[in-house]
Amino acid sequence: MKYIFELPRVSLPVKDREQQFPVNRVFCVGRNYAEHAKEMGADPDREAPFFFSKPASAVFVPQGEVPYPPRTGDLHHEAELVVALHRGGHSLTVAAARDCVFGYSVGIDFTRRDLQAEAKKQGRPWDTAKGFDASGPMSELVAVEDCGWLDRGAITLSLNGEQKQQGDLSDMIWKVEEIIAELSTYYTLQAGDIIFTGTPAGVGAVNRGDVVDAAIAGAGQLTFRMV
Ligand code: MN
C-alpha cells in the first residue's frame, strides 16, 4: 500500500543545537500539584495524579502569537514543565526513567474549562477540552546536558504582567522520573514522546489580547499574545 499524502511531522527546536526534536506522542499529567488539585475540588491525599493526552499536532513553539480556540468561552492557562524523551521502554525503573530524559521546556496545557466541566459532569472523555489545535504552546527545548537535572526551581505564569501562577518544581506529587516510570506501565514509551507534568495552583481565564508569560528557572521562558 502506498500513501498518497505525506503525514505532517511535528518537530521542536532545541536551544543551541542544530538538531530538531521530532515529536511522537504528547502525554499530560492531571493534578500533580496538591494546591491545584484542591482548587479543582479534588483531595490530593485521596486521589493520585492521572494521565491524559493531546495529539502531537497540538504542540508548537509560537512566534509571538497563539490563536484563541473556537467553541469555548472559558479558556484556561496551565503553566507546566514539559519533559522530552530520547529513549523509552516499558515498566521502567525510576533510575532507567531518568536516562530517558532528553530535555525540558516550559509549556501551557491550554484547557477549554467549560467543555472539561461538561465532560466531567457527563462522564465523557476530555479530548475536546484538552486536545484542540494549538493547545500546547511551548518554549524551545533545552537539553538536560546543558541545563542539568531539574527537580526544583520556580514555575510561574503572568498575564499582562500580573502574576497568576506560582509554584516550585519540588512541589510535584509525582517527580519527573516517577511520572515516566508510572507512564511506562501503561504505554511502551518511545523516543519523541513528550510529557506535560502538571500545573501549580492559580489557573484562570485567558482572553484575546492578553499577554501570557510563563517561565521555569533553568527550562526557559515562553511569551506570546492571544489573538
Ligand atoms: Mn495540565
Side-chain angles (χ1 to χ4, degrees):
M1 179 181 163
K2 199 171 177 211
Y3 290 110
I4 57 166
F5 57 89
E6 280 196 25
L7 290 169
R9 295 282 174 193
V10 177
S11 64
L12 299 167
V14 184
K15 187 170 187 279
D16 299 331
R17 308 283 169 119
E18 294 284 309
Q19 73 185 127
Q20 296 255 318
F21 182 90
V23 176
N24 186 41
R25 294 172 293 184
V26 180
F27 298 104
C28 305
V29 183
R31 297 182 202 144
N32 199 27
Y33 290 77
E35 293 307 312
H36 172 63
K38 288 178 196 161
E39 76 180 346
M40 297 306 293
D43 179 352
D45 293 329
R46 293 175 59 106
E47 284 180 80
F50 55 89
F51 297 106
F52 58 95
S53 57
K54 293 177 186 279
S57 57
V59 299
F60 68 113
V61 175
Q63 303 300 311
E65 295 183 339
V66 171
Y68 193 93
R71 302 296 296 262
T72 186
D74 195 22
L75 180 72
H76 274 207
H77 55 76
E78 297 189 356
E80 310 200 0
L81 175 71
V82 183
V83 178
L85 308 187
H86 62 169
R87 66 171 66 97
H90 64 85
S91 303
L92 297 166
T93 63
V94 165
R98 272 180 83 106
D99 291 335
C100 295
V101 175
F102 167 74
Y104 306 103
S105 162
V106 55
I108 312 289
D109 167 20
F110 268 124
T111 304
R112 295 194 275 213
R113 195 70 77 198
D114 41 2
L115 297 193
Q116 187 194 36
E118 186 65 18
K120 285 180 182 175
K121 202 165 76 183
Q122 306 274 358
R124 289 177 178 164
W126 286 11
D127 301 49
T128 59
K130 289 287 196 178
F132 51 91
D133 301 346
S135 60
M138 50 192 280
S139 63
E140 66 178 353
L141 291 169
V142 180
V144 70
E145 286 172 14
D146 295 341
C147 65
W149 187 258
L150 294 185
D151 54 10
R152 59 196 63 251
I155 171 170
T156 57
L157 181 140
S158 69
L159 209 55
N160 305 315
E162 187 183 334
Q163 189 155 288
K164 297 290 187 184
Q165 290 192 264
Q166 180 172 28
D168 195 284
L169 299 180
S170 62
D171 296 332
M172 290 200 291
I173 296 170
W174 283 347
K175 309 306 173 197
V176 166
E177 60 271 44
E178 293 170 340
I179 291 168
I180 296 166
E182 179 75 9
L183 189 59
S184 78
T185 68
Y186 289 92
Y187 304 93
T188 300
L189 296 176
Q190 299 172 341
D193 290 340
I194 69 175
I195 306 168
F196 282 66
T197 60
T199 197
V203 301
V206 181
N207 292 298
R208 284 185 186 80
D210 286 344
V211 174
V212 178
D213 195 348
I216 295 175
Q221 184 171 9
L222 174 65
T223 304
F224 58 86
R225 180 184 295 273
M226 291 303 300
V227 296

